[in-house]
Amino acid sequence: MKEFVIEAQKIEPMHRHSYIFESFDNLEGGDSLVIVNNHDPLPLLRQFGESRPNQFVDEYLEKGPSVWKLRLTKKKKEGCCGFCE
């Protein structure tokens, strides 16, 4: 299992969410993204819940006040051995 860190505040705001979604979509089951930001990424987390339901597990690693870290782990497909897409 791999973990990738994205420092969201370093990405242009208009491209930030699409970059994070694309990065998540390219993960293998069991891999994670850690999103580091200067505010609570709750709007992003809500978008994930709406557009990728049941595809991830979220965990706050740090909750401010100046740094927020959110881990999104991509779930393996049910019945998957870890080698399928």
Side-chain angles (χ1 to χ4, degrees):
M1 291 182 266
K2 298 176 185 171
E3 186 167 271
F4 303 92
V5 176
I6 295 176
E7 293 191 34
Q9 67 277 8
K10 292 184 178 181
I11 302 168
E12 255 187 86
M14 63 185 289
H15 301 293
R16 190 173 295 156
H17 283 200
S18 61
Y19 178 83
I20 293 169
F21 276 98
E22 183 178 332
S23 298
F24 177 83
D25 290 342
N26 288 324
L27 294 176
E28 299 290 327
D31 291 348
S32 301
L33 291 179
V34 174
I35 299 155
V36 181
N37 210 345
N38 57 8
H39 65 275
D40 189 350
L42 189 57
L44 176 71
L45 188 54
R46 286 187 187 132
Q47 281 185 309
F48 263 92
E50 292 170 3
S51 65
R52 310 289 190 285
N54 304 311
Q55 293 183 29
F56 67 95
V57 175
D58 62 288
E59 175 188 9
Y60 277 94
L61 304 175
E62 194 169 335
K63 288 187 168 187
S66 58
V67 175
W68 295 77
K69 293 182 181 179
L70 175 66
R71 178 185 289 137
L72 297 175
T73 302
K74 190 171 192 176
K75 290 182 178 180
K76 292 182 181 179
K77 292 185 179 179
E78 194 166 323
C80 178
C81 63
F83 294 101
C84 60
E85 299 241 357

